[in-house]
PDB file of all heavy atoms in Angstrom:
ATOM      1  N   GLN A 291     -16.540 -14.308  31.534  1.00  0.00           N
ATOM      2  CA  GLN A 291     -15.761 -14.869  32.627  1.00  0.00           C
ATOM      3  C   GLN A 291     -16.626 -15.892  33.348  1.00  0.00           C
ATOM      4  O   GLN A 291     -17.742 -15.604  33.749  1.00  0.00           O
ATOM      5  CB  GLN A 291     -15.321 -13.758  33.571  1.00  0.00           C
ATOM      6  CG  GLN A 291     -14.253 -12.864  32.963  1.00  0.00           C
ATOM      7  CD  GLN A 291     -12.917 -13.572  32.808  1.00  0.00           C
ATOM      8  OE1 GLN A 291     -12.653 -14.594  33.432  1.00  0.00           O
ATOM      9  NE2 GLN A 291     -12.069 -13.024  31.938  1.00  0.00           N
ATOM     10  N   PRO A 292     -16.139 -17.109  33.495  1.00  0.00           N
ATOM     11  CA  PRO A 292     -16.936 -18.155  34.143  1.00  0.00           C
ATOM     12  C   PRO A 292     -16.878 -18.032  35.669  1.00  0.00           C
ATOM     13  O   PRO A 292     -15.980 -17.399  36.199  1.00  0.00           O
ATOM     14  CB  PRO A 292     -16.233 -19.439  33.691  1.00  0.00           C
ATOM     15  CG  PRO A 292     -14.812 -19.023  33.511  1.00  0.00           C
ATOM     16  CD  PRO A 292     -14.818 -17.582  33.079  1.00  0.00           C
ATOM     17  N   ALA A 293     -17.882 -18.618  36.310  1.00  0.00           N
ATOM     18  CA  ALA A 293     -17.853 -18.699  37.775  1.00  0.00           C
ATOM     19  C   ALA A 293     -17.026 -19.918  38.139  1.00  0.00           C
ATOM     20  O   ALA A 293     -17.539 -20.934  38.577  1.00  0.00           O
ATOM     21  CB  ALA A 293     -19.269 -18.813  38.320  1.00  0.00           C
ATOM     22  N   ALA A 294     -15.763 -19.830  37.903  1.00  0.00           N
ATOM     23  CA  ALA A 294     -14.858 -20.944  38.175  1.00  0.00           C
ATOM     24  C   ALA A 294     -13.450 -20.398  38.123  1.00  0.00           C
ATOM     25  O   ALA A 294     -13.227 -19.247  37.770  1.00  0.00           O
ATOM     26  CB  ALA A 294     -15.021 -22.041  37.110  1.00  0.00           C
ATOM     27  N   CYS A 295     -12.499 -21.257  38.512  1.00  0.00           N
ATOM     28  CA  CYS A 295     -11.112 -20.873  38.362  1.00  0.00           C
ATOM     29  C   CYS A 295     -10.740 -21.094  36.904  1.00  0.00           C
ATOM     30  O   CYS A 295     -10.901 -22.185  36.368  1.00  0.00           O
ATOM     31  CB  CYS A 295     -10.219 -21.708  39.275  1.00  0.00           C
ATOM     32  SG  CYS A 295      -8.472 -21.356  39.010  1.00  0.00           S
ATOM     33  N   THR A 296     -10.263 -20.044  36.239  1.00  0.00           N
ATOM     34  CA  THR A 296      -9.986 -20.161  34.803  1.00  0.00           C
ATOM     35  C   THR A 296      -8.770 -21.037  34.532  1.00  0.00           C
ATOM     36  O   THR A 296      -8.546 -21.462  33.414  1.00  0.00           O
ATOM     37  CB  THR A 296      -9.758 -18.772  34.177  1.00  0.00           C
ATOM     38  OG1 THR A 296      -8.868 -18.051  35.020  1.00  0.00           O
ATOM     39  CG2 THR A 296     -11.053 -18.027  34.027  1.00  0.00           C
ATOM     40  N   PHE A 297      -7.999 -21.299  35.576  1.00  0.00           N
ATOM     41  CA  PHE A 297      -6.789 -22.105  35.380  1.00  0.00           C
ATOM     42  C   PHE A 297      -7.085 -23.592  35.606  1.00  0.00           C
ATOM     43  O   PHE A 297      -6.228 -24.440  35.364  1.00  0.00           O
ATOM     44  CB  PHE A 297      -5.690 -21.625  36.342  1.00  0.00           C
ATOM     45  CG  PHE A 297      -4.352 -22.260  36.106  1.00  0.00           C
ATOM     46  CD1 PHE A 297      -3.700 -22.096  34.896  1.00  0.00           C
ATOM     47  CD2 PHE A 297      -3.742 -23.020  37.092  1.00  0.00           C
ATOM     48  CE1 PHE A 297      -2.456 -22.681  34.662  1.00  0.00           C
ATOM     49  CE2 PHE A 297      -2.503 -23.610  36.865  1.00  0.00           C
ATOM     50  CZ  PHE A 297      -1.853 -23.435  35.651  1.00  0.00           C
ATOM     51  N   ALA A 298      -8.309 -23.893  36.044  1.00  0.00           N
ATOM     52  CA  ALA A 298      -8.631 -25.265  36.468  1.00  0.00           C
ATOM     53  C   ALA A 298      -8.241 -26.312  35.435  1.00  0.00           C
ATOM     54  O   ALA A 298      -7.724 -27.377  35.785  1.00  0.00           O
ATOM     55  CB  ALA A 298     -10.116 -25.369  36.799  1.00  0.00           C
ATOM     56  N   ASP A 299      -8.453 -26.015  34.150  1.00  0.00           N
ATOM     57  CA  ASP A 299      -8.184 -26.998  33.121  1.00  0.00           C
ATOM     58  C   ASP A 299      -6.710 -27.357  32.982  1.00  0.00           C
ATOM     59  O   ASP A 299      -6.371 -28.375  32.403  1.00  0.00           O
ATOM     60  CB  ASP A 299      -8.697 -26.504  31.762  1.00  0.00           C
ATOM     61  CG  ASP A 299     -10.213 -26.669  31.666  1.00  0.00           C
ATOM     62  OD1 ASP A 299     -10.757 -27.408  32.512  1.00  0.00           O
ATOM     63  OD2 ASP A 299     -10.810 -26.043  30.785  1.00  0.00           O
ATOM     64  N   ARG A 300      -5.865 -26.476  33.486  1.00  0.00           N
ATOM     65  CA  ARG A 300      -4.432 -26.758  33.350  1.00  0.00           C
ATOM     66  C   ARG A 300      -3.789 -27.035  34.701  1.00  0.00           C
ATOM     67  O   ARG A 300      -2.576 -27.225  34.794  1.00  0.00           O
ATOM     68  CB  ARG A 300      -3.718 -25.566  32.700  1.00  0.00           C
ATOM     69  CG  ARG A 300      -4.143 -25.325  31.270  1.00  0.00           C
ATOM     70  CD  ARG A 300      -3.670 -23.975  30.757  1.00  0.00           C
ATOM     71  NE  ARG A 300      -2.243 -23.953  30.482  1.00  0.00           N
ATOM     72  CZ  ARG A 300      -1.579 -22.841  30.155  1.00  0.00           C
ATOM     73  NH1 ARG A 300      -2.208 -21.696  30.090  1.00  0.00           N
ATOM     74  NH2 ARG A 300      -0.287 -22.886  29.911  1.00  0.00           N
ATOM     75  N   CYS A 301      -4.601 -27.021  35.757  1.00  0.00           N
ATOM     76  CA  CYS A 301      -4.041 -27.049  37.103  1.00  0.00           C
ATOM     77  C   CYS A 301      -3.932 -28.474  37.647  1.00  0.00           C
ATOM     78  O   CYS A 301      -4.881 -29.257  37.525  1.00  0.00           O
ATOM     79  CB  CYS A 301      -4.938 -26.238  38.038  1.00  0.00           C
ATOM     80  SG  CYS A 301      -4.308 -26.127  39.730  1.00  0.00           S
TER      81      CYS A 301
END
Side-chain angles (χ1 to χ4, degrees):
Chain A
Q291 289 290 342
C295 175
T296 46
F297 188 61
D299 283 345
R300 294 167 74 187
C301 183

